[in-house]
Amino acid sequence: MEYLEKLNPEQLQAVTTTSKKVLVVAGAGSGKTRVLTTRIQYLIDKGVNKDDIIAFTFTKRAAKEMQFRLSKYNFNNIHTFHSYCYRMLQIYKDELGFQKFDNINLVTEDYELQIIDEIISELKINYNPKTLMQFITKRKNNLEYPFKSVEEASIFNQVYYRFQQRLMSHGQIDFDDMITLFVNNIDNLSDNDYILDSCKYILVDEFQDTNQIQFDLIKKLASKHNNLFCVGDTNQLIYSFRSSDIKIINDYMNEADEVIYLNKNYRCASNILESSNNLIKHNHNLKNDIYSDIAPKFKVTYHELPDTKYQAWDVANIINNLITKGNYKPNDIAVLFRNNYQSTEIEYELKKQNIPYTAYGKLKFYKFEVTRRMIALYQFLDNPEDYILFRQAVLIDQVAYEKIVSTYKQSNTNLLDIIINMNIERLSNQAFKIKELIQNIKSYSRATLFEYMMTILCDKYTNKQLEYLRALKDIIVNSELKTTKEILDNLLLAEDEHINEMGVNLMTIHKAKGLEFKCVFIISINEGIIPPSLKKESDIKEERRILYVAMTRAKEYLYLSSADYHIINGMRKRLNPSMFVSEIK
C-alpha cells in the first residue's frame, strides 16, 4: 500500500484506524478529501466488500470529485443525503404508499405554493403562503416553529396535513420529504436488514454542516454495525440558516471512540493562514493550532476605501495587474462577498477592463417563467389529472381555473376532456393538443417532442425566452439519462454551475465553500454586512466562521477591503469597518 506513505502521521492514523466511531477534525486545507478517499481505498484493499461501504457528502460536486479519485476501484457509492434518500424512496415506493404510481415525482417550489393557496381558500384563513411553507419545512426537518398562539398551531397543522394529503394522493413529494419519509419508515421496510448490511462502513464528509434529520438518517443506517467515520471542522460551520447544528458535532466528539486532529494546512501560504487563525481564535474554540509550511509570495493586504464604486475599481485594477503581468489566469482568481447584490459594481469594472468573469448564484435559466412552464408541461404529461400542473404550464386566469377545478371535482370525466368541452378558445385548443400528444407520445423523439411542446405553450417567443428554451432543450436532448423524468429531477435538484474555465469567479462566500483559488478578494468587510446587524453572540460567531472560510479559500494572494459608503435600501449610508478587521490584524 504505497499510497499510505504519502500521508502525514495524523492522516495515516485516520485512514488506518480500527476504532468504530471516529471523528476526524479536519482544519481548512488539511486534506480531508484525501483522507476520506484513502480510507475507502484502504478498507477495500483490506478485504471489505466495496458494496458494504457508503459515503455521504453535501454537494454533487464533492461526490464527483471523490468518485474520480476512486475511479480505479469503480467505487460509486457516494451520495448527497437527498440523492441517496430519493433513490431509496423510488425503490421502496410501494411500501411507502405510492403503489398506484409508476414513479414518485418531485414538485417545484411554485407548485408547493399553489397547493398552499388552495388550502388557504378551502380553510378560509388569512396567512402568507410562504410563512406556511416555512412551517411545513421546519416540521419536516424536526425543527421547532415559534407559534404565536395555540389557535395558530392548530391552523398550521391542519394546513400541513392537507398539504401532505394532496402530495401523497398525486404520487408527489417535495424536497423536504426526501430524507424525512425514508428516515421515518426505514424500520418498517421489508429490506431493512439488507439496507443496514449495505452500510457496514459509513463515512460522512463536512459533518459540521449536518442538521438533525440528516444525523437521524446516519444514526439509523449505522445502527446495526456502528462503524461511523465522520470528518468535519466546527470552525467551518456556516449553514445555520439551513438548520445545521453545531451541537451535533460537539456531542459526537464526546461520544466518539477516537478523535483525530488534522492540523497541517496544504493550501494556504503561512501568512494567509496566520491571519485566518487570528480571526477564528476569537471564537474561543480553536482546539488545534492549524499551521502551514508554505512560504508567502505576497503580503495579506487590507484596503479601507471611500465607497463601493472605488472598491470595485480597486479590485478590478489589481486583478488586471495580476493577469497582465502573467502571474495568473482569470480563473485563478475569485472575488467573494456576503450577498449576491454586491457583485454588480465589480462586474461593471471588470467589463470596462475587458476581463472575463462568471457571476455565480444568478437566477438559473430554468427558473425563468418560460422554462418553468415547459417543465410543468413535461410533468403534466406524466400526471394528466393534475390541474395545478396544467395551470402552471398554460397560464389560466383565476376565474377559468376555479371553473375547471369545480367541474373536475364534481365529474367523473378526465381533466383534458372537461377543458376541451368548455370551449374556452385558447385553453381548449391547448388541452386538445396535449391530449393528442399523450396518445401519440411514443412516436416523438426527444427533440421533436420538445419542439411540439413549444408550439402548445405559445405561438411566439421573445429572443430571451428562446435562449432559455434552447438551453433547456440541449440539456434534455443531449442528456445520457434514460428518461425525461430523470433529467428534470436532476435539474430541479441541481447545484450551481461548474466553476468557469476562463473568467474571474464572482460568488458569495457560501458558494465558495469547498473551493480554492490562487488569488482571493473579499470585499465590503463592514459592520452591517459582515457581520450584519446582529446582537446574538452565536450569530456573530457564525459570521466570523463565514469570513474564516472565505480567507482560507486563498492559496497565494489575499486581499481584504471595506468601503466607507454603501447604498443600503436605496440610501447612501456610512458603515464602519467590521469588528473582524481589527481581529485579523
Side-chain angles (χ1 to χ4, degrees):
M1 298 183 185
E2 292 180 8
Y3 55 82
L4 296 180
E5 297 172 9
K6 298 176 182 177
L7 304 175
N8 68 34
E10 293 77 23
Q11 290 173 334
L12 180 64
Q13 181 186 355
V15 165
T16 60
T17 182
T18 56
S19 299
K20 280 184 163 290
K21 295 176 74 174
V22 179
L23 176 64
V24 179
V25 181
S30 62
K32 71 176 180 63
T33 305
R34 167 182 272 197
V35 165
L36 279 163
T37 53
T38 309
R39 170 75 173 167
I40 293 169
Q41 188 177 1
Y42 176 77
L43 289 173
I44 295 171
D45 286 345
K46 291 288 284 185
V48 176
N49 187 326
K50 67 180 182 181
D51 293 333
D52 295 338
I53 305 169
I54 185 168
F56 290 99
T57 186
F58 275 79
T59 65
K60 289 181 181 177
R61 185 180 64 232
K64 285 179 181 176
E65 169 66 19
M66 290 171 69
Q67 285 172 3
F68 175 76
R69 295 193 190 194
L70 290 162
S71 54
K72 171 186 169 185
Y73 291 80
N74 195 27
F75 182 81
N76 297 312
N77 206 9
I78 305 170
H79 311 271
T80 65
F81 292 107
H82 285 92
S83 68
Y84 172 78
C85 290
Y86 190 46
R87 184 169 66 87
M88 299 303 279
L89 292 179
Q90 296 288 2
I91 293 170
Y92 297 104
K93 70 178 185 63
D94 290 356
E95 294 184 53
L96 295 168
F98 295 96
Q99 59 269 32
K100 290 192 300 184
F101 306 97
D102 293 334
N103 295 291
I104 297 175
N105 292 298
L106 181 65
V107 300
T108 64
E109 291 175 25
D110 286 346
Y111 189 96
E112 290 176 304
L113 291 171
Q114 185 67 50
I115 296 175
I116 297 290
D117 278 339
E118 291 198 3
I119 295 170
I120 287 172
S121 178
E122 289 168 7
L123 295 176
K124 296 181 173 55
I125 55 177
N126 185 24
Y127 284 97
N128 186 319
K130 290 189 175 179
T131 301
L132 292 166
M133 201 62 239
Q134 286 167 1
F135 160 70
I136 290 171
T137 293
K138 282 186 176 292
R139 173 158 176 169
K140 290 184 179 184
N141 285 283
N142 294 343
L143 299 170
E144 291 184 7
Y145 186 85
F147 296 113
K148 294 175 183 174
S149 66
V150 174
E151 182 187 10
E152 183 178 82
S154 174
I155 292 169
F156 277 34
N157 280 299
Q158 283 185 65
V159 172
Y160 172 80
Y161 285 116
R162 290 193 181 213
F163 180 86
Q164 282 305 97
Q165 187 178 36
R166 175 63 175 72
L167 288 182
M168 290 288 290
S169 65
H170 285 73
Q172 296 165 333
I173 60 171
D174 66 9
F175 189 77
D176 294 304
D177 283 324
M178 278 189 240
I179 300 177
T180 307
L181 261 178
F182 183 63
V183 168
N184 291 344
N185 291 283
I186 184 173
D187 292 340
N188 302 318
L189 295 177
S190 57
D191 282 346
N192 177 258
D193 281 342
Y194 170 78
I195 294 168
L196 300 187
D197 278 333
S198 68
C199 300
K200 284 178 182 165
Y201 292 87
I202 300 175
L203 298 92
V204 183
D205 187 17
E206 301 285 11
F207 184 58
Q208 76 280 349
D209 291 329
T210 309
N211 65 26
Q212 189 58 54
I213 195 68
Q214 290 161 346
F215 189 51
D216 290 343
L217 170 68
I218 295 166
K219 287 190 294 184
K220 288 271 189 187
L221 295 177
S223 60
K224 188 169 184 179
H225 297 283
N226 290 311
N227 286 312
L228 185 55
F229 184 93
C230 300
V231 180
D233 178 15
T234 53
N235 292 317
Q236 296 186 72
L237 190 157
I238 62 172
Y239 287 110
S240 289
F241 68 93
R242 291 184 187 169
S243 308
S244 298
D245 188 350
I246 200 165
K247 187 175 182 294
I248 293 171
I249 187 171
N250 286 337
D251 287 350
Y252 184 73
M253 185 179 291
N254 296 326
E255 297 170 13
D257 301 325
E258 186 175 16
V259 179
I260 301 165
Y261 291 92
L262 305 184
N263 56 8
K264 183 172 183 179
N265 178 294
Y266 292 90
R267 177 192 301 148
C268 307
S270 59
N271 61 331
I272 292 173
L273 194 61
E274 182 182 356
S275 296
S276 306
N277 283 344
N278 286 345
L279 171 70
I280 203 63
K281 280 177 181 175
H282 286 79
N283 273 6
H284 309 297
N285 65 345
L286 193 64
K287 294 184 179 179
N288 54 327
D289 192 17
I290 316 291
Y291 70 93
S292 167
D293 293 336
I294 302 170
K297 287 188 176 182
F298 303 94
K299 289 182 178 179
V300 175
T301 61
Y302 166 67
H303 296 209
E304 187 174 342
L305 302 165
D307 56 32
T308 54
K309 240 181 178 178
Y310 194 93
Q311 178 178 248
W313 174 86
D314 192 46
V315 167
N317 201 41
I318 294 172
I319 287 174
N320 198 19
N321 287 336
L322 288 169
I323 294 169
T324 53
K325 287 179 180 176
N327 293 333
Y328 297 102
K329 302 190 293 291
N331 70 311
D332 290 329
I333 302 167
V335 182
L336 308 182
F337 31 82
R338 186 64 181 84
N339 304 296
N340 264 315
Y341 71 84
Q342 293 174 261
S343 74
T344 306
E345 288 173 322
I346 302 286
E347 291 179 54
Y348 176 75
E349 291 296 337
L350 291 175
K351 279 178 186 171
K352 276 173 60 177
Q353 301 203 35
N354 293 316
I355 299 170
Y357 69 87
T358 298
Y360 295 90
K362 298 286 184 180
L363 192 60
K364 298 170 187 174
F365 76 89
Y366 53 84
K367 287 192 176 179
F368 284 87
E369 182 187 308
V370 69
T371 44
R372 289 204 313 269
R373 289 178 61 201
M374 180 62 83
I375 289 171
L377 182 52
Y378 267 114
Q379 291 177 326
F380 182 76
L381 297 180
D382 276 341
N383 201 344
E385 299 300 318
D386 192 325
Y387 45 81
I388 293 179
L389 286 174
F390 185 82
R391 183 187 195 183
Q392 288 183 325
V394 302
L395 302 181
I396 313 174
D397 67 68
Q398 188 64 26
V399 174
Y401 179 67
E402 288 176 2
K403 185 178 178 183
I404 289 168
V405 173
S406 174
T407 307
Y408 176 69
K409 286 182 176 180
Q410 296 172 30
S411 167
N412 292 322
T413 312
N414 71 63
L415 179 66
L416 289 174
D417 282 342
I418 286 171
I419 298 166
I420 291 166
N421 293 333
M422 282 183 169
N423 289 322
I424 307 170
E425 187 177 352
R426 178 182 66 85
L427 293 181
S428 295
N429 183 43
Q430 286 174 304
F432 181 77
K433 286 184 176 181
I434 292 169
K435 183 178 179 180
E436 279 196 323
L437 176 59
I438 292 170
Q439 291 170 342
N440 300 294
I441 197 163
K442 290 183 180 177
S443 64
Y444 289 91
S445 68
R446 280 187 183 178
T448 55
L449 176 64
F450 192 96
E451 294 291 338
Y452 184 61
M453 288 168 66
M454 283 178 62
T455 66
I456 291 174
L457 290 188
C458 190
D459 295 326
K460 191 175 182 181
Y461 294 97
T462 66
N463 288 336
K464 202 66 176 172
Q465 287 173 325
L466 283 172
E467 180 188 336
Y468 297 139
L469 285 170
R470 295 302 175 204
L472 180 61
K473 181 184 176 184
D474 285 345
I475 290 171
I476 289 174
V477 170
N478 298 317
S479 174
E480 294 178 3
L481 295 172
K482 290 181 181 178
T483 67
T484 305
K485 180 194 177 310
E486 288 178 296
I487 298 166
L488 296 179
D489 286 350
N490 210 42
L491 267 180
L492 295 172
L493 289 170
E495 293 156 9
D496 278 321
E497 312 91 326
H498 294 294
I499 298 306
N500 188 274
E501 295 181 0
M502 298 295 293
V504 173
N505 300 282
L506 310 183
M507 63 183 74
T508 64
I509 297 168
H510 284 91
K511 291 279 185 295
K513 179 80 181 290
L515 303 176
E516 58 183 43
F517 304 92
K518 290 182 179 178
C519 306
V520 169
F521 293 74
I522 308 171
I523 63 169
S524 292
I525 308 176
N526 289 84
E527 293 292 328
I529 295 179
I530 183 165
S533 302
L534 303 169
K535 294 180 180 178
K536 286 169 62 178
E537 180 63 23
S538 60
D539 291 337
I540 292 171
K541 283 185 174 182
E542 173 129 353
E543 291 296 321
R544 194 177 278 116
R545 293 195 296 268
I546 288 169
L547 183 54
Y548 173 78
V549 165
M551 293 172 69
T552 53
R553 300 310 94 197
K555 297 168 77 173
E556 299 174 3
Y557 181 95
L558 178 61
Y559 165 109
L560 311 169
S561 68
S562 62
D564 293 342
Y565 283 93
H566 287 70
I567 303 298
I568 306 290
N569 297 324
M571 303 279 289
R572 183 173 165 85
K573 188 174 180 181
R574 185 178 180 88
L575 300 179
N576 293 323
S578 170
M579 60 187 285
F580 298 151
V581 171
S582 60
E583 294 176 358
I584 293 167
K585 287 181 178 179

